[in-house]
Amino acid sequence: MPIRSAPCAWTVEEFKKWVDVSGDGRISKAELRQAIRRRGCWFATVRAGRAVRRADRDHNGYVDDAELENLVAFAREHLGMNISPR
């Protein structure tokens, strides 16, 4: 189920700011779950867990800048978000 009421298009930076509410430069499963819920999407916990597992290449539990493109790809494919490189 795509995220409802998402903007027509996001930049990668806008997407990162939307998800990284702590501002520490890393995206946790909890932050992603909250962001998905803010958009009214169902199964936010399951989707957030799957997204972080797929994006987190170093398996530290967070998505950092080096892994952000993996998370963006997941959001495009599985959350129906339109995220452009710039």
Side-chain angles (χ1 to χ4, degrees):
M1 168 181 281
I3 294 177
R4 291 178 283 157
S5 59
C8 292
W10 298 73
T11 64
V12 172
E13 279 303 313
E14 289 169 335
F15 175 73
K16 182 180 174 187
K17 281 183 179 181
W18 174 64
V19 178
D20 184 17
V21 293
S22 69
D24 65 357
R26 304 182 312 169
I27 297 170
S28 69
K29 179 177 148 183
E31 285 175 316
L32 185 57
R33 180 181 64 238
Q34 290 170 0
I36 292 170
R37 283 184 179 162
R38 285 194 306 268
R39 286 297 183 201
C41 190
W42 294 10
F43 308 113
T45 301
V46 172
R47 288 174 184 237
R50 187 179 324 146
V52 170
R53 278 191 306 277
R54 286 194 183 172
D56 181 20
R57 299 293 182 205
D58 63 6
H59 306 290
N60 68 353
Y62 296 93
V63 178
D64 57 29
D65 284 341
E67 301 162 326
L68 186 59
E69 189 54 43
N70 300 328
L71 183 59
V72 167
F74 183 91
R76 285 179 184 135
E77 183 178 343
H78 298 284
L79 302 177
M81 297 186 76
N82 182 7
I83 304 169
S84 64
R86 298 201 182 250

PDB file of all heavy atoms in Angstrom, residues 50-68:
ATOM      1  N   ARG A  50      11.867  -4.108   7.528  1.00  0.00           N
ATOM      2  CA  ARG A  50      12.326  -4.642   6.247  1.00  0.00           C
ATOM      3  C   ARG A  50      13.212  -3.623   5.527  1.00  0.00           C
ATOM      4  O   ARG A  50      14.252  -3.971   4.974  1.00  0.00           O
ATOM      5  CB  ARG A  50      11.135  -5.008   5.369  1.00  0.00           C
ATOM      6  CG  ARG A  50      11.564  -5.727   4.109  1.00  0.00           C
ATOM      7  CD  ARG A  50      10.419  -6.135   3.207  1.00  0.00           C
ATOM      8  NE  ARG A  50       9.226  -6.552   3.908  1.00  0.00           N
ATOM      9  CZ  ARG A  50       7.990  -6.335   3.463  1.00  0.00           C
ATOM     10  NH1 ARG A  50       7.781  -5.715   2.328  1.00  0.00           N
ATOM     11  NH2 ARG A  50       6.951  -6.764   4.150  1.00  0.00           N
ATOM     12  N   ALA A  51      12.807  -2.360   5.548  1.00  0.00           N
ATOM     13  CA  ALA A  51      13.577  -1.313   4.866  1.00  0.00           C
ATOM     14  C   ALA A  51      14.969  -1.159   5.467  1.00  0.00           C
ATOM     15  O   ALA A  51      15.964  -1.085   4.740  1.00  0.00           O
ATOM     16  CB  ALA A  51      12.824   0.011   4.938  1.00  0.00           C
ATOM     17  N   VAL A  52      15.053  -1.122   6.784  1.00  0.00           N
ATOM     18  CA  VAL A  52      16.357  -0.958   7.428  1.00  0.00           C
ATOM     19  C   VAL A  52      17.231  -2.180   7.180  1.00  0.00           C
ATOM     20  O   VAL A  52      18.417  -2.051   6.889  1.00  0.00           O
ATOM     21  CB  VAL A  52      16.201  -0.640   8.934  1.00  0.00           C
ATOM     22  CG1 VAL A  52      17.540  -0.717   9.654  1.00  0.00           C
ATOM     23  CG2 VAL A  52      15.586   0.744   9.117  1.00  0.00           C
ATOM     24  N   ARG A  53      16.658  -3.369   7.262  1.00  0.00           N
ATOM     25  CA  ARG A  53      17.455  -4.578   6.992  1.00  0.00           C
ATOM     26  C   ARG A  53      18.023  -4.569   5.576  1.00  0.00           C
ATOM     27  O   ARG A  53      19.177  -4.947   5.361  1.00  0.00           O
ATOM     28  CB  ARG A  53      16.615  -5.833   7.210  1.00  0.00           C
ATOM     29  CG  ARG A  53      16.517  -6.252   8.648  1.00  0.00           C
ATOM     30  CD  ARG A  53      15.911  -7.646   8.806  1.00  0.00           C
ATOM     31  NE  ARG A  53      14.620  -7.815   8.155  1.00  0.00           N
ATOM     32  CZ  ARG A  53      13.453  -7.450   8.677  1.00  0.00           C
ATOM     33  NH1 ARG A  53      13.412  -6.875   9.852  1.00  0.00           N
ATOM     34  NH2 ARG A  53      12.326  -7.655   8.010  1.00  0.00           N
ATOM     35  N   ARG A  54      17.241  -4.146   4.611  1.00  0.00           N
ATOM     36  CA  ARG A  54      17.718  -4.112   3.224  1.00  0.00           C
ATOM     37  C   ARG A  54      18.745  -3.013   2.981  1.00  0.00           C
ATOM     38  O   ARG A  54      19.666  -3.178   2.190  1.00  0.00           O
ATOM     39  CB  ARG A  54      16.556  -3.924   2.262  1.00  0.00           C
ATOM     40  CG  ARG A  54      15.750  -5.174   2.124  1.00  0.00           C
ATOM     41  CD  ARG A  54      14.846  -5.070   0.939  1.00  0.00           C
ATOM     42  NE  ARG A  54      14.010  -6.258   0.843  1.00  0.00           N
ATOM     43  CZ  ARG A  54      13.029  -6.376  -0.008  1.00  0.00           C
ATOM     44  NH1 ARG A  54      12.754  -5.392  -0.841  1.00  0.00           N
ATOM     45  NH2 ARG A  54      12.318  -7.473  -0.050  1.00  0.00           N
ATOM     46  N   ALA A  55      18.578  -1.881   3.634  1.00  0.00           N
ATOM     47  CA  ALA A  55      19.461  -0.738   3.384  1.00  0.00           C
ATOM     48  C   ALA A  55      20.746  -0.786   4.204  1.00  0.00           C
ATOM     49  O   ALA A  55      21.779  -0.290   3.765  1.00  0.00           O
ATOM     50  CB  ALA A  55      18.711   0.560   3.679  1.00  0.00           C
ATOM     51  N   ASP A  56      20.703  -1.364   5.381  1.00  0.00           N
ATOM     52  CA  ASP A  56      21.816  -1.345   6.333  1.00  0.00           C
ATOM     53  C   ASP A  56      22.873  -2.381   5.961  1.00  0.00           C
ATOM     54  O   ASP A  56      22.888  -3.491   6.477  1.00  0.00           O
ATOM     55  CB  ASP A  56      21.273  -1.608   7.738  1.00  0.00           C
ATOM     56  CG  ASP A  56      22.331  -1.579   8.808  1.00  0.00           C
ATOM     57  OD1 ASP A  56      23.402  -1.000   8.580  1.00  0.00           O
ATOM     58  OD2 ASP A  56      22.076  -2.139   9.891  1.00  0.00           O
ATOM     59  N   ARG A  57      23.788  -2.001   5.097  1.00  0.00           N
ATOM     60  CA  ARG A  57      24.804  -2.929   4.589  1.00  0.00           C
ATOM     61  C   ARG A  57      25.858  -3.311   5.618  1.00  0.00           C
ATOM     62  O   ARG A  57      26.422  -4.397   5.550  1.00  0.00           O
ATOM     63  CB  ARG A  57      25.491  -2.352   3.354  1.00  0.00           C
ATOM     64  CG  ARG A  57      24.542  -2.097   2.210  1.00  0.00           C
ATOM     65  CD  ARG A  57      23.996  -3.388   1.671  1.00  0.00           C
ATOM     66  NE  ARG A  57      23.129  -3.099   0.528  1.00  0.00           N
ATOM     67  CZ  ARG A  57      22.162  -3.882   0.134  1.00  0.00           C
ATOM     68  NH1 ARG A  57      21.919  -4.997   0.733  1.00  0.00           N
ATOM     69  NH2 ARG A  57      21.425  -3.545  -0.900  1.00  0.00           N
ATOM     70  N   ASP A  58      26.135  -2.431   6.584  1.00  0.00           N
ATOM     71  CA  ASP A  58      27.152  -2.770   7.595  1.00  0.00           C
ATOM     72  C   ASP A  58      26.531  -3.385   8.849  1.00  0.00           C
ATOM     73  O   ASP A  58      27.224  -3.675   9.812  1.00  0.00           O
ATOM     74  CB  ASP A  58      28.028  -1.572   7.938  1.00  0.00           C
ATOM     75  CG  ASP A  58      27.256  -0.416   8.562  1.00  0.00           C
ATOM     76  OD1 ASP A  58      26.046  -0.560   8.835  1.00  0.00           O
ATOM     77  OD2 ASP A  58      27.876   0.652   8.760  1.00  0.00           O
ATOM     78  N   HIS A  59      25.216  -3.562   8.849  1.00  0.00           N
ATOM     79  CA  HIS A  59      24.481  -4.258   9.926  1.00  0.00           C
ATOM     80  C   HIS A  59      24.693  -3.638  11.300  1.00  0.00           C
ATOM     81  O   HIS A  59      24.744  -4.342  12.306  1.00  0.00           O
ATOM     82  CB  HIS A  59      24.841  -5.751   9.949  1.00  0.00           C
ATOM     83  CG  HIS A  59      24.654  -6.410   8.631  1.00  0.00           C
ATOM     84  ND1 HIS A  59      23.421  -6.646   8.071  1.00  0.00           N
ATOM     85  CD2 HIS A  59      25.563  -6.847   7.726  1.00  0.00           C
ATOM     86  CE1 HIS A  59      23.569  -7.213   6.890  1.00  0.00           C
ATOM     87  NE2 HIS A  59      24.856  -7.346   6.640  1.00  0.00           N
ATOM     88  N   ASN A  60      24.739  -2.294  11.356  1.00  0.00           N
ATOM     89  CA  ASN A  60      24.870  -1.634  12.651  1.00  0.00           C
ATOM     90  C   ASN A  60      23.523  -1.163  13.201  1.00  0.00           C
ATOM     91  O   ASN A  60      23.460  -0.557  14.251  1.00  0.00           O
ATOM     92  CB  ASN A  60      25.856  -0.463  12.569  1.00  0.00           C
ATOM     93  CG  ASN A  60      25.352   0.690  11.721  1.00  0.00           C
ATOM     94  OD1 ASN A  60      24.308   0.593  11.072  1.00  0.00           O
ATOM     95  ND2 ASN A  60      26.100   1.778  11.713  1.00  0.00           N
ATOM     96  N   GLY A  61      22.442  -1.435  12.472  1.00  0.00           N
ATOM     97  CA  GLY A  61      21.111  -1.075  12.935  1.00  0.00           C
ATOM     98  C   GLY A  61      20.630   0.292  12.486  1.00  0.00           C
ATOM     99  O   GLY A  61      19.531   0.710  12.833  1.00  0.00           O
ATOM    100  N   TYR A  62      21.460   0.996  11.725  1.00  0.00           N
ATOM    101  CA  TYR A  62      21.121   2.335  11.249  1.00  0.00           C
ATOM    102  C   TYR A  62      21.415   2.445   9.753  1.00  0.00           C
ATOM    103  O   TYR A  62      22.273   1.755   9.236  1.00  0.00           O
ATOM    104  CB  TYR A  62      21.958   3.403  11.976  1.00  0.00           C
ATOM    105  CG  TYR A  62      21.680   3.467  13.446  1.00  0.00           C
ATOM    106  CD1 TYR A  62      22.442   2.730  14.336  1.00  0.00           C
ATOM    107  CD2 TYR A  62      20.663   4.269  13.940  1.00  0.00           C
ATOM    108  CE1 TYR A  62      22.188   2.786  15.694  1.00  0.00           C
ATOM    109  CE2 TYR A  62      20.405   4.329  15.295  1.00  0.00           C
ATOM    110  CZ  TYR A  62      21.168   3.592  16.174  1.00  0.00           C
ATOM    111  OH  TYR A  62      20.915   3.648  17.510  1.00  0.00           O
ATOM    112  N   VAL A  63      20.726   3.367   9.117  1.00  0.00           N
ATOM    113  CA  VAL A  63      21.015   3.710   7.735  1.00  0.00           C
ATOM    114  C   VAL A  63      21.747   5.045   7.763  1.00  0.00           C
ATOM    115  O   VAL A  63      21.195   6.050   8.216  1.00  0.00           O
ATOM    116  CB  VAL A  63      19.724   3.820   6.894  1.00  0.00           C
ATOM    117  CG1 VAL A  63      20.042   4.231   5.467  1.00  0.00           C
ATOM    118  CG2 VAL A  63      18.959   2.505   6.922  1.00  0.00           C
ATOM    119  N   ASP A  64      23.000   5.044   7.339  1.00  0.00           N
ATOM    120  CA  ASP A  64      23.775   6.285   7.316  1.00  0.00           C
ATOM    121  C   ASP A  64      23.857   6.808   5.887  1.00  0.00           C
ATOM    122  O   ASP A  64      23.252   6.254   4.972  1.00  0.00           O
ATOM    123  CB  ASP A  64      25.159   6.088   7.934  1.00  0.00           C
ATOM    124  CG  ASP A  64      25.961   5.002   7.245  1.00  0.00           C
ATOM    125  OD1 ASP A  64      25.757   4.766   6.035  1.00  0.00           O
ATOM    126  OD2 ASP A  64      26.811   4.392   7.916  1.00  0.00           O
ATOM    127  N   ASP A  65      24.595   7.891   5.697  1.00  0.00           N
ATOM    128  CA  ASP A  65      24.658   8.522   4.371  1.00  0.00           C
ATOM    129  C   ASP A  65      25.135   7.567   3.280  1.00  0.00           C
ATOM    130  O   ASP A  65      24.646   7.619   2.157  1.00  0.00           O
ATOM    131  CB  ASP A  65      25.567   9.753   4.406  1.00  0.00           C
ATOM    132  CG  ASP A  65      24.880  10.938   5.070  1.00  0.00           C
ATOM    133  OD1 ASP A  65      23.639  10.943   5.163  1.00  0.00           O
ATOM    134  OD2 ASP A  65      25.595  11.861   5.506  1.00  0.00           O
ATOM    135  N   ALA A  66      26.077   6.697   3.606  1.00  0.00           N
ATOM    136  CA  ALA A  66      26.606   5.765   2.611  1.00  0.00           C
ATOM    137  C   ALA A  66      25.556   4.730   2.187  1.00  0.00           C
ATOM    138  O   ALA A  66      25.656   4.159   1.104  1.00  0.00           O
ATOM    139  CB  ALA A  66      27.847   5.057   3.153  1.00  0.00           C
ATOM    140  N   GLU A  67      24.550   4.519   3.003  1.00  0.00           N
ATOM    141  CA  GLU A  67      23.516   3.518   2.730  1.00  0.00           C
ATOM    142  C   GLU A  67      22.179   4.137   2.338  1.00  0.00           C
ATOM    143  O   GLU A  67      21.220   3.427   2.048  1.00  0.00           O
ATOM    144  CB  GLU A  67      23.306   2.647   3.971  1.00  0.00           C
ATOM    145  CG  GLU A  67      24.560   1.933   4.409  1.00  0.00           C
ATOM    146  CD  GLU A  67      24.514   1.437   5.835  1.00  0.00           C
ATOM    147  OE1 GLU A  67      23.893   2.102   6.698  1.00  0.00           O
ATOM    148  OE2 GLU A  67      25.115   0.388   6.101  1.00  0.00           O
ATOM    149  N   LEU A  68      22.122   5.473   2.332  1.00  0.00           N
ATOM    150  CA  LEU A  68      20.858   6.174   2.102  1.00  0.00           C
ATOM    151  C   LEU A  68      20.224   5.813   0.767  1.00  0.00           C
ATOM    152  O   LEU A  68      19.003   5.653   0.678  1.00  0.00           O
ATOM    153  CB  LEU A  68      21.065   7.685   2.208  1.00  0.00           C
ATOM    154  CG  LEU A  68      19.793   8.520   2.140  1.00  0.00           C
ATOM    155  CD1 LEU A  68      18.829   8.150   3.255  1.00  0.00           C
ATOM    156  CD2 LEU A  68      20.148   9.992   2.204  1.00  0.00           C
TER     157      LEU A  68
END
